[in-house]
Amino acid sequence: LPLGVASLGELVDVKLCESDTLDYEQLGDLLGGNSLEGVTFLDARLLGNQDASLSRRVNRARYAVGLPVDALRALKLDRVEALTERIAGRRGGDGMTVERRIKGIVKRVKVEDFLTQVEAGAGAQSLREAGIAGDLLPLRFELAITPRGTARPYEVLQALFGEDDLPARMVRETLSFCPEEELGSESRLDPMQIETLRSSKAVPGQG
């Protein structure tokens, strides 16, 4: 997952010293009482030796983006209908490949291979929760996280708009697990649904 992108919540798996007296149902409160100001632990689940690690239980990341209306107006995309039409046109063409530069090495990334969902006009509530305000047009998209990698959120914007420096603000809404191999599948599981994931044969590394 990319660094420097805000989120509405994080998931983490940790290994603790074994203790027969530790109340795992109260673990969130215990961690919260010893964490930095502003960090709140909402829930905790106990993983067994046969459970897959967190990295194997997350293969989808959904983002909400606030696009400045002034910048979109210059592109004649300041209405949801126009933005929806642009998205459909870009996804149906050959322009969804961007260049990623890492230490002088150029890698071509086919964004469409990882883009599972995109919807103009969606995500406004998440932007408000993140404190992102202004004259913005919301956009929501989801990326698949695969063994061969994923596209970066700002690469999605670059592919959709053909702009390298669109002044957008974004927040990651959710992380989830899709048990289906098809990129367009709408089935999603919360990584905290341990019992459900245990019964799913689709989770790699699940014992």
Side-chain angles (χ1 to χ4, degrees), residues 119-189:
E119 181 182 1
Q125 178 61 35
S126 294
L127 293 175
R128 285 193 292 270
E129 290 180 18
I132 298 175
D135 191 10
L136 305 171
L137 197 157
L139 173 76
R140 169 181 286 149
F141 65 82
E142 185 188 67
L143 289 169
I145 303 168
T146 75
R148 57 190 177 88
T150 185
R152 295 173 177 173
Y154 284 99
E155 290 173 339
V156 174
L157 300 184
Q158 183 182 351
L160 290 176
F161 298 101
E163 301 282 336
D164 294 337
D165 54 356
L166 191 68
R169 300 180 65 189
M170 70 173 65
V171 61
R172 194 182 69 228
E173 295 181 290
T174 61
L175 294 172
S176 61
F177 177 76
C178 176
E180 307 294 337
E181 293 186 3
E182 291 79 9
L183 199 64
S185 171
E186 296 184 358
S187 177
R188 300 290 182 273
L189 295 174

Side-chain angles (χ1 to χ4, degrees), residues 46-91:
L46 177 62
L47 298 177
N49 292 330
Q50 302 302 312
D51 290 317
S53 64
L54 179 60
S55 62
R56 295 178 179 271
R57 289 183 284 119
V58 171
N59 61 9
R60 295 290 187 273
R62 195 177 73 186
Y63 298 85
V65 184
L67 301 166
V69 172
D70 285 345
L72 292 178
R73 188 174 292 118
L75 300 172
K76 298 182 179 180
L77 298 173
D78 53 322
R79 295 180 298 106
V80 171
E81 296 79 8
L83 188 54
T84 299
E85 184 176 346
R86 160 61 73 91
I87 291 169
R90 295 290 285 186
R91 297 196 72 181

Side-chain angles (χ1 to χ4, degrees), residues 5 19 22 36 44 82 88 91 106 110-111 116 118 149 160 173 181 207:
V5 177
S19 174
L22 184 61
L36 297 174
R91 297 196 72 181
V106 178
K110 296 179 66 176
V111 174
T116 62
V118 57
L160 290 176
E173 295 181 290
E181 293 186 3

